[in-house]
């Protein structure tokens, strides 16, 4: 269930026309795609490593494990609030490299401290906060990198490739990571995750080599904007989202749907592993195999948009993705229960695989280059805080009403969320005005960047 919300992909590369299907999107895109793949597989390999370390190595109880998950997410999001505006007026690739190095270094402190017997719960908490804040900052910068390096008509193809990569990592990473934990312990998977971020930094650095040269400072970033942070910049992302008739419904729909889906994930773990007696490998299989649907959906997104149009595909996949979770309230023991979970998850993830790249593309099309970082930061922070709040609320609800009732209520509320989807299509430029954003205009890979903006699973979603 953990992988069904928006993926994070970053993006880039710009020369050829990939269109909605295959084809090369340029050398730069190849490097960034490879970087994203490496870091995403590393992260999925270490999935749930911190809770396992807390339980197995530090003898932490349920309250501490819950606090580790919620506090890392929420505090990291709050820490990232000023980072989006700071990124907006700076070169993006150096920011991405720096945040990769920060994530890698922070994660490396865990196996080092463990080796010397110094590891404690507070360190895990601090590392989780640092990694969460760096992740949000990376996504903001990566969104601008994608928009500035990929032609407008190639955005959907690029986001589709990142979506497919994310689902492949979600399908393969946790089972391989689980086997690695069994053989070597959870600390080893954290070390692999750290190394993946360091390799990602090398890949992003390679984007600027050769014909692309070094990334220029954004054209809209003067000395006054890079030297100090204005207080109004902190809320600019939310201000732009909430005043945009096209982005506002997309924002509320996405944040609420992701939050409700993720809020039931721990409840399903308790229900399946506890009440229904599924073995851990069965639980993992139930959520890993359906990720094939994400690959199918991400491959279908481009052809569907080409045939039916972006808005129709966005709304249809947005409706379909919320039709299935209510079925999880009826899961029973044994093989029938396992098949039901896999069927529901497959339908859900296939729909999400279509929706995510189309939604991420629409968001970039509607956001001016000089607001991408702040908008994506506000979007990601809101999503993380909403997910943390709903997860805590649904835990309390389950304690009061029972696991199945809480899962069913989330499913019923999800059925109402299509009312928040955009009612009509919009143009490809900001606020539906095609061509009003120079970064959205088609250009060849040899064209200079007219204004590299600031601004993941795409690293933009």
């Amino acid at each position: 269930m953990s992988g069904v919300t928006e993926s994070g992909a970053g993006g880039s590369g710009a020369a050829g026309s990939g269109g909605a299907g295959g084809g090369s999107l340029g050398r730069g895109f190849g490097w960034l795609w490879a970087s994203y793949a490496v870091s995403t597989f590393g992260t999925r390999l270490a999935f749930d490593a911190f809770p396992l370390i807390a339980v197995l190595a530090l003898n932490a109880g349920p309250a501490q494990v819950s606090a580790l998950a919620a506090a890392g997410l929420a505090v990291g999001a709050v820490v990232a609030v000023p980072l989006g505006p700071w990124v907006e007026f700076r070169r993006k690739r150096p920011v991405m490299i720096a945040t990769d190095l920060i994530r890698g270094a922070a994660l490396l402190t865990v196996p080092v401290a463990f080796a010397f017997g110094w590891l404690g719960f507070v360190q895990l908490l601090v590392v989780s906060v640092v990694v969460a804040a760096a992740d949000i900052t990376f996504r903001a910068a990566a969104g601008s990198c994608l928009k500035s390096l990929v032609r407008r008509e190639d955005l959907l193809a690029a986001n589709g490739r990142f979506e497919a990569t994310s689902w492949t990592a979600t399908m393969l990473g946790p089972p391989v990571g689980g086997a690695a934990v069994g053989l070597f312990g959870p600390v080893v998977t954290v070390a692999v995750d750290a190394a993946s971020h360091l390799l990602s930094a090398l890949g992003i650095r390679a984007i600027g080599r050769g014909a692309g040269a070094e990334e220029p400072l954004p054209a809209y970033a003067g000395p006054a904007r890079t030297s100090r942070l204005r207080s109004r910049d902190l809320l600019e992302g939310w201000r732009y989202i909430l005043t945009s008739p096209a982005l506002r419904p997309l924002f509320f729909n996405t944040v609420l749907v992701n939050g409700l889906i993720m809020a039931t994930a721990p409840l399903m773990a308790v229900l399946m592993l506890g009440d229904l007696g599924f073995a851990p490998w069965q639980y993992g299989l139930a959520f890993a195999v359906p990720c094939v649907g994400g690959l199918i959906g991400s491959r279908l997104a481009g052809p569907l948009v080409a045939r039916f149009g972006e808005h129709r595909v966005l709304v249809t996949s947005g409706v379909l993705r919320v039709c299935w979770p209510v079925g999880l309230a009826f899961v029973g023991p044994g093989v029938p229960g396992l098949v039901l979970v896999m069927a529901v998850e497959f339908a859900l993830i296939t729909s999400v695989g279509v929706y995510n790249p189309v939604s991420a593309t629409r968001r970039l099309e509607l956001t001016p280059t000089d607001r991408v970082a702040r908008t994506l930061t506000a979007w990601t922070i809101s999503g993380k805080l909403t997910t943390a709040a709903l997860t805590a609320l649904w835990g309390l609800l389950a304690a009061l009403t029972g696991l199945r009732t809480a899962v069913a209520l989330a499913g019923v509320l999800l059925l109402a969320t299509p009312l928040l989807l955009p009612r009509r299509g919009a143009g490809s430029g900001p606020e539906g005005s095609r061509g009003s954003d120079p970064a959205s205009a088609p250009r060849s890979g040899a064209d200079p960047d007219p204004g590299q903006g600031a601004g993941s699973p795409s690293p933009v979603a």
Side-chain angles (χ1 to χ4, degrees):
M1 200 77 153
S2 63
V4 297
T5 59
E6 288 183 304
S7 66
S12 26
S17 173
S24 172
L25 296 181
R27 175 183 176 278
F29 178 83
W31 276 114
L32 192 52
W33 190 13
S35 299
Y36 175 68
V38 169
S39 63
T40 301
F41 271 96
T43 299
R44 291 301 183 186
L45 189 76
F47 182 70
D48 276 349
F50 274 25
L52 287 173
I53 293 172
V55 172
L56 300 178
L58 303 178
N59 297 316
Q64 286 180 301
V65 173
S66 298
L68 181 63
L73 194 68
V75 178
V78 172
V79 169
V81 169
L83 296 178
W86 180 84
V87 169
E88 193 79 82
F89 305 101
R90 283 162 176 79
R91 296 178 176 88
K92 304 310 173 296
R93 292 199 293 269
V95 171
M96 295 164 67
I97 292 170
T99 51
D100 259 338
L101 294 176
I102 289 170
R103 288 187 288 186
L107 289 168
L108 274 177
T109 66
V110 174
V112 170
F114 180 81
F116 286 96
W118 300 335
L119 184 62
F121 182 80
V122 173
Q123 180 180 349
L124 288 182
L125 189 59
V126 171
V127 170
S128 67
V129 169
V130 170
V131 170
D135 178 66
I136 294 172
T137 306
F138 181 95
R139 288 175 181 238
S144 283
C145 184
L146 175 62
K147 187 168 184 177
S148 66
L149 293 177
V150 173
R151 303 187 308 172
R152 179 189 58 77
E153 61 265 39
D154 290 336
L155 278 173
L156 181 57
N159 281 320
R161 294 182 190 188
F162 286 117
E163 183 75 8
T165 302
S166 177
W167 287 114
T168 302
T170 303
M171 180 171 54
L172 300 178
V176 175
V181 168
L183 292 173
F184 308 110
V187 173
V188 172
T189 62
V190 175
V192 173
D193 189 15
S196 74
H197 289 299
L198 301 180
L199 290 173
S200 173
L202 291 176
I204 294 168
R205 185 172 184 272
I207 295 173
R209 295 175 180 170
E214 290 302 317
E215 177 185 353
L217 190 70
Y220 51 81
R225 303 311 303 270
T226 55
S227 62
R228 61 187 176 86
L229 180 65
R230 302 184 309 186
S231 57
R232 65 172 278 114
D233 288 331
L234 295 176
L235 299 178
E236 181 59 30
W238 284 282
R239 185 180 297 113
Y240 182 72
I241 291 170
L242 296 178
T243 56
S244 166
L247 275 181
R248 185 172 58 246
L250 193 64
F251 168 74
F252 283 120
N253 175 270
T254 301
V255 168
L256 184 58
V257 169
N258 290 350
L260 285 171
I261 290 175
M262 296 305 296
T264 62
L267 306 186
M268 288 302 301
V270 175
L271 177 63
M272 293 181 68
L273 295 173
D275 295 2
L276 299 178
F278 285 101
W281 69 267
Q282 292 175 310
Y283 174 78
L285 189 69
F287 292 101
V289 172
C291 290
V292 173
L295 299 179
I296 296 172
S298 63
R299 295 293 295 175
L300 289 175
L304 287 174
V305 168
R307 181 170 182 179
F308 299 106
E310 182 184 78
H311 180 70
R312 182 178 296 181
V313 174
L314 179 73
V315 173
T316 303
S317 60
V319 171
L320 287 176
R321 81 196 203 281
V322 300
C323 293
W324 318 105
V326 69
L328 294 175
F330 303 99
V331 61
V335 174
L338 199 62
V339 171
L340 174 61
V341 173
M342 295 174 76
V344 168
E345 288 293 311
F346 178 80
L348 167 63
I349 291 173
T350 302
S351 304
V352 169
V354 175
Y355 177 86
N356 279 352
V358 179
S359 173
T361 299
R362 168 72 70 87
R363 184 174 57 193
L364 285 178
E365 289 173 342
L366 293 171
T367 307
T369 302
D370 62 351
R371 286 188 177 91
V372 172
R374 286 170 287 181
T375 299
L376 292 183
T377 300
W379 197 294
T380 305
I381 288 172
S382 300
K384 289 182 179 294
L385 291 178
T386 301
T387 297
L390 288 177
T391 299
L393 179 61
W394 249 253
L396 177 61
L397 186 65
L400 296 175
T401 65
L403 291 169
R404 292 183 185 275
T405 302
V407 171
L409 179 58
V412 170
L413 290 176
L414 280 168
L415 294 175
T417 57
L419 296 173
L420 297 173
L421 285 167
R423 302 273 176 137
R424 59 181 182 273
S428 62
E431 290 306 325
S433 154
R434 186 181 297 273
S436 60
D437 180 7
S440 297
R443 60 182 186 275
S444 71
D447 289 338
D449 184 4
Q452 172 121 346
S456 127
S458 21
V460 269

